[in-house]
Amino acid sequence: NKIFEQAKEAIVKNKLFFFVNGEMAKTPTIANRWRASTNGVADPDNFISRTTESDMKTVSDFVKSKYGYETGSYTSFPADESNYELLARLDWNISNKHRLALRYNYTKNRSWISPNASSMDGGTRMTEARMSKASMAFANSMYSMDNLVHSYSFDLNSRLSDKLSNQFLATYSKLDDLRGSPSVEFPFIDILKEGQAYMSLGYELFTWNNGVHNNVWNIKDELTYYMGNHKIVGGIAYEYKMADN
């Protein structure tokens, strides 16, 4: 489903305008098919784990009463993909020769993923995946992949004469690839049974403070000279990128 809103209005007639557009979309998806069993017998063809509902309830009730931690559901898991977009723009006709446009863009995309299958701290691995015929995890151990974009631009167009024009454009973009969690801060715990993974809970072990941050600046000044059917373009451009993992 999608929700769409926009607004456009003149602040000063023929001089100053603003435009705002917002969109939100959600796409139903499935991030985890596995479910706990009632009898402890795995049925991989139907995505039924050997982990029992009664054991998951017992563990969930224990950590809630002992530590005040909510494990999240063991029957319903976050899954829907979401997309949020916002555009805000301000246009100013400064004079017959100069026009300025200021723009802001915001985008956030989110998708959900089951906890890491088998990796552990120190480079070791579980013998079975944490969501599998052998094991189950709780909803608050899922994590999201969040793509977040903030973008700003300053665009000044000037007509210096009948044959000469200039554009000065400066942009800044902040690009973040982040991981999110429905969990509060809590250790990630693996419970084993018969030497294999059986149950997992807590804040997904590779999600905390896991992100890539990019900052990009662009500046361009371009001068255009018109000669009948031809034009001569000259200018300077500068780009700077900074990444932080």
Side-chain angles (χ1 to χ4, degrees):
N1 54 56
K2 176 177 284 190
I3 298 175
F4 172 87
E5 292 183 2
Q6 68 176 22
K8 183 177 182 180
E9 187 172 328
I11 302 175
V12 179
K13 185 177 181 180
N14 298 326
K15 295 286 289 184
L16 191 61
F17 307 86
F18 80 86
F19 175 79
V20 178
N21 179 70
E23 295 185 29
M24 181 186 74
K26 284 196 173 183
T27 304
T29 60
I30 298 174
N32 167 55
R33 296 182 180 274
W34 290 99
R35 294 294 183 268
S37 64
T38 58
N39 57 6
V41 178
D43 182 2
D45 292 337
N46 292 301
F47 296 97
I48 302 298
S49 174
R50 68 169 179 158
T51 309
T52 64
E53 292 180 355
S54 59
D55 284 347
M56 297 197 78
K57 184 179 187 305
T58 298
V59 170
S60 182
D61 290 345
F62 173 78
V63 295
K64 182 178 181 179
S65 63
K66 180 73 173 180
Y67 304 106
Y69 176 69
E70 295 282 354
T71 62
S73 174
Y74 52 84
T75 60
S76 178
F77 299 86
D80 290 353
E81 296 180 356
S82 60
N83 174 257
Y84 300 88
E85 295 182 2
L86 174 68
L87 167 65
R89 176 171 176 143
L90 185 70
D91 292 303
W92 182 18
N93 296 325
I94 302 172
S95 68
N96 291 333
K97 293 185 177 181
H98 304 284
R99 292 181 291 108
L100 175 65
L102 303 176
R103 188 179 64 191
Y104 167 70
N105 286 88
Y106 167 85
T107 301
K108 182 177 182 179
N109 299 310
R110 167 172 285 183
S111 59
W112 288 96
I113 304 173
S114 295
N116 179 278
S118 59
S119 297
M120 300 177 69
D121 291 338
T124 56
R125 300 184 69 84
M126 305 286 288
T127 54
E128 289 283 349
R130 293 181 172 92
M131 290 284 202
S132 67
K133 64 182 181 180
S135 179
M136 283 293 298
F138 294 89
N140 284 356
S141 295
M142 304 280 284
Y143 68 94
S144 65
M145 293 297 296
D146 300 340
N147 175 252
L148 186 61
V149 177
H150 295 275
S151 180
Y152 306 83
S153 71
F154 176 98
D155 188 4
L156 177 63
N157 287 273
S158 302
R159 181 168 58 84
L160 305 178
S161 71
D162 291 340
K163 294 185 177 182
L164 193 63
S165 66
N166 188 80
Q167 180 193 31
F168 176 81
L169 176 63
T171 63
Y172 166 69
S173 297
K174 181 175 175 55
L175 314 172
D176 297 313
D177 290 311
L178 309 171
R179 289 171 65 146
S181 170
S183 175
V184 299
E185 296 179 32
F186 195 79
F188 190 80
I189 300 170
D190 287 311
I191 300 173
L192 306 184
K193 183 177 181 180
E194 299 171 353
Q196 293 183 334
Y198 183 70
M199 192 185 309
S200 299
L201 65 142
Y203 198 108
E204 206 278 336
L205 71 169
F206 296 112
T207 292
W208 179 261
N209 203 32
N210 187 344
V212 178
H213 309 277
N214 291 282
N215 297 281
V216 182
W217 290 267
N218 283 280
I219 298 175
K220 180 183 76 171
D221 191 78
E222 187 174 274
L223 191 67
T224 303
Y225 182 73
Y226 296 92
M227 301 174 59
N229 295 327
H230 307 281
K231 64 181 181 181
I232 300 175
V233 180
I236 57 173
Y238 171 79
E239 180 179 78
Y240 176 75
K241 295 181 180 180
M242 181 176 67
D244 179 22
N245 297 338

